[in-house]
Amino acid sequence: MESYGEQLRRAREAKGIDYETISNETTISAQYLIGLEQEDSSAFPGEPYMLGFLRNYAEYLGLNSESLVGLYRAKKIKE
């Protein structure tokens, strides 16, 4: 199964949308969008921000946000 970062990247690329467009339409900074796709939690000021951005970015791309949050939490438990 793909990770949440891979799903975000694949969906963004399939729609042909760049980070700048997404950032303008969601008000999520491009650095955070990249951090989500790279699954780099250190890019965020805290986990609540990261989870909020993950939900918003997933919904923007038409993905199931709760499923992606579940993948994030499963990864965090493994670490």
Side-chain angles (χ1 to χ4, degrees):
M1 178 179 231
E2 284 185 314
S3 68
Y4 69 90
E6 291 169 342
Q7 288 187 43
L8 292 168
R9 181 189 50 76
R10 186 173 40 84
R12 178 183 56 78
E13 289 175 350
K15 292 179 183 275
I17 308 170
D18 61 32
Y19 294 119
E20 184 178 341
T21 300
I22 298 168
S23 180
N24 289 335
E25 293 181 3
T26 64
T27 68
I28 300 171
S29 171
Q31 75 183 34
Y32 295 137
L33 298 171
I34 294 167
L36 287 168
E37 288 186 8
Q38 294 178 349
E39 300 182 22
D40 179 11
S41 58
S42 69
F44 300 91
E47 187 177 45
Y49 288 95
M50 188 260 171
L51 289 171
F53 292 151
L54 176 57
R55 283 188 178 99
N56 289 341
Y57 190 19
E59 289 172 8
Y60 174 84
L61 293 172
L63 301 172
N64 181 326
S65 62
E66 290 309 311
S67 174
L68 294 184
V69 168
L71 290 173
Y72 162 75
R73 289 193 170 131
K75 179 184 177 194
K76 188 172 178 183
I77 289 170
K78 287 181 183 178
E79 293 174 352

